[in-house]
Amino acid sequence: MQFTAEHAEWGRVDITLDDLGCGRSWEEIHRVRGVELACPECAGQVFARVSKLGTRHLYHRTKPPTCSLANESLEHHLLKLELVTCARAAGFRAEVEVGAPTGEWRADVMVFRPDGTWLMALEAQLSPITVEEIAARTGLYERDGVAVCWFGLRPRPWVGTVPTLLVQAPEEQGQEWTVTAGLARFCDWPVSWSPAGATLHEAVAWMLSGRIVPHAPVADSRRVTNEGEWWSDWADGWTRFWNDAWRLWWTAPAYAARDAACAREQAEARRRREAEEKAAAQQRAVMEREKARKKAAKGHAYAAFWGRTGLDRHAWRYFRAMAEMYFDLNLVFGAPDARYADGRPVYERTGPDGEDWTLVGVACPDPCRLGAWAEELALLVPSHTDLEDLAGRAWSPFQVYVLDPYTGEMDQERVLPAPVNP
């Protein structure tokens, strides 16, 4: 079942045209003896007739098994006829079954530019075909500078991998063919795609005039979903496998531009976020190094403190408990501090929640490194030997408390500076 043939004198015959594309009429080939028409693909003889649906077509008396035109289904035939009708209704010159000079492809419908060059092939693809095969056929059209759209009626694995529209035939006479999938509109807040409806006549007119273009989404949203149905992907049911997705669809150029703009904004936001995360990671690394440095320094300070004082942690707990009991205060002992001769500053905690800290003394300072603070703060030491060392270096009165963790002895003494000989 086909629409074109070759005549020895008339040339190409296209029965979808009133003049058959060669200045003749249907009546000159329909039921006319002696008219010889040949199939443009297999060169076999074809004849004109009218189907039960009233559709004119050509047929082989005996179907050649390898001729694609002879083996087209009724569905394919009707869709092809509708496509050429839509193209012509949109004001374009369109012909059916146009083949490349090389024979590498034959378009179901070829639409021409005003200058006579090829514009777009409209292909009814109803028989099974692999994704690789349809990509290769699309590539042949692109090589020859021809845009193409593939039209289907039902889910196939290739749907959406090439420029595609899925369509539905009218259920009743007087109704129009409609597009069921392949058209989408873009929303940039939130970034999303939603399906758009149209008749086949509208969609063909839009694509031929450039009002819609095939577009592969570039922003983060790569699926088409119905409004409010976030978990219902547009591709569900349209492909063989549940996780197949449309790679591209037809949309307005303005929507494609907005999608690209959103993709740039999202890329810039990702770059900023990555830069911020990198800076934060670097800052964390600096902080971790500083923390490790301080920890190491603190560890060295404590090691030096224990070595210099001769105390261990067990003795220190007793020393600290004796100080709290002796002074009857809530005391906090800081870490060894170089500002206080490597001694441990002693704070009194006051206030409703103990948030106020007041420096009241220094525990176990290095006698060789006493500063001016020694005149005003109480000095806490674990033995009388430490008291004598402090007394030997006093330049003014020091208040010294001896809290011996080994004997439990607690004493205090005001140390005076040694007299100066005249």
Side-chain angles (χ1 to χ4, degrees):
M1 184 179 289
Q2 61 199 73
F3 294 114
T4 60
E6 295 290 337
H7 188 275
E9 296 179 3
W10 305 343
R12 175 182 165 86
V13 176
D14 183 343
I15 65 171
T16 66
L17 296 170
D18 291 338
D19 67 349
L20 306 187
C22 59
R24 300 290 174 167
S25 66
W26 172 254
E27 288 72 21
E28 291 182 75
I29 64 172
H30 184 228
R31 294 183 176 179
V32 176
R33 292 181 180 276
V35 177
E36 294 188 2
L37 300 175
C39 174
E41 181 172 327
C42 68
Q45 189 173 10
V46 295
F47 304 88
R49 71 180 176 189
V50 179
S51 71
K52 294 179 181 180
L53 299 176
T55 304
R56 298 174 180 179
H57 65 276
L58 302 170
Y59 71 99
H60 293 69
R61 180 159 292 172
T62 301
K63 280 188 179 182
T66 59
C67 179
S68 62
L69 292 177
N71 291 282
E72 285 182 354
S73 66
L74 178 61
E75 281 184 324
H76 189 282
H77 182 83
L78 294 176
L79 178 53
K80 182 165 60 174
L81 181 60
E82 186 65 21
L83 291 173
V84 74
T85 302
C86 290
R88 290 169 181 168
F92 290 83
R93 174 191 161 202
E95 297 180 5
V96 295
E97 300 161 5
V98 175
T102 61
E104 292 179 278
W105 51 259
R106 182 183 301 277
D108 285 332
V109 177
M110 178 60 71
V111 184
F112 296 84
R113 297 185 180 91
D115 63 3
T117 58
W118 296 323
L119 172 63
M120 178 177 288
L122 308 180
E123 286 281 9
Q125 185 59 47
L126 307 185
S127 58
I129 189 172
T130 67
V131 172
E132 293 74 20
E133 288 171 337
I134 203 165
R137 290 177 61 184
T138 301
L140 291 176
Y141 281 119
E142 293 175 347
R143 182 202 63 189
D144 292 340
V146 184
V148 62
C149 181
W150 301 86
F151 296 81
L153 297 178
R154 55 187 60 87
R156 300 291 186 189
W158 58 265
V159 166
T161 64
V162 291
T164 307
L165 285 182
L166 291 180
V167 297
Q168 182 175 328
E171 296 181 358
E172 299 179 5
Q173 189 173 3
Q175 294 180 337
E176 292 194 66
W177 285 71
T178 56
V179 174
T180 56
L183 281 173
R185 59 172 59 90
F186 182 74
C187 176
D188 47 17
W189 187 257
V191 174
S192 60
W193 290 92
S194 59
T199 65
L200 182 55
H201 273 256
E202 290 172 330
V204 169
W206 293 344
M207 68 174 60
L208 294 178
S209 61
R211 292 180 59 188
I212 58 174
V213 294
H215 175 67
V218 291
D220 289 348
S221 178
R222 306 289 177 87
R223 298 291 179 94
V224 178
T225 55
N226 288 313
E227 185 176 358
E229 297 180 9
W230 299 107
W231 299 104
S232 177
D233 188 355
W234 184 42
D236 288 349
W238 289 110
T239 51
R240 177 176 297 177
F241 305 107
W242 70 269
N243 59 345
D244 283 347
W246 290 61
R247 299 178 192 171
L248 72 164
W249 42 77
W250 290 88
T251 192
Y255 289 145
R258 286 166 61 183
D259 180 37
C262 283
R264 290 192 295 271
E265 293 172 3
Q266 290 169 347
E268 180 59 29
R270 282 192 292 270
R271 284 193 291 270
R272 288 196 301 269
R273 184 167 60 251
E274 289 169 0
E276 291 170 357
E277 291 174 353
K278 182 178 180 180
Q282 291 174 341
Q283 183 64 25
R284 286 194 299 271
V286 170
M287 293 174 64
E288 288 296 328
R289 288 195 296 270
E290 181 62 15
K291 182 178 178 181
R293 185 194 65 79
K294 289 181 178 180
K295 183 177 180 181
K298 187 176 180 180
H300 292 314
Y302 271 110
F305 180 82
W306 303 129
R308 179 174 56 80
T309 61
L311 297 172
D312 56 24
R313 287 178 174 78
H314 183 73
W316 174 257
R317 284 196 293 271
Y318 279 107
F319 178 84
R320 187 178 61 188
M322 291 172 65
E324 290 181 339
M325 181 179 65
Y326 188 84
F327 292 104
D328 193 21
L329 297 174
N330 184 6
L331 300 180
V332 176
F333 291 77
D337 194 326
R339 294 174 298 174
Y340 300 105
D342 294 331
R344 299 182 65 172
V346 183
Y347 302 93
E348 178 189 3
R349 292 185 63 175
T350 58
D353 298 316
E355 69 276 10
D356 298 326
W357 288 23
T358 304
L359 183 63
V360 295
V362 177
C364 308
D366 185 345
C368 300
R369 301 180 57 198
L370 297 175
W373 46 267
E375 301 178 25
E376 302 176 358
L377 298 175
L379 304 180
L380 285 63
V381 296
S383 69
H384 280 87
T385 301
D386 297 309
L387 171 64
E388 293 172 359
D389 288 342
L390 291 173
R393 297 180 180 276
W395 63 83
S396 64
F398 293 164
Q399 188 67 31
V400 181
Y401 296 84
V402 178
L403 306 169
D404 192 328
Y406 299 104
T407 64
E409 179 183 358
M410 294 184 289
D411 194 9
Q412 63 172 312
E413 185 172 331
R414 188 169 181 81
V415 175
L416 301 176
V420 179
N421 294 324

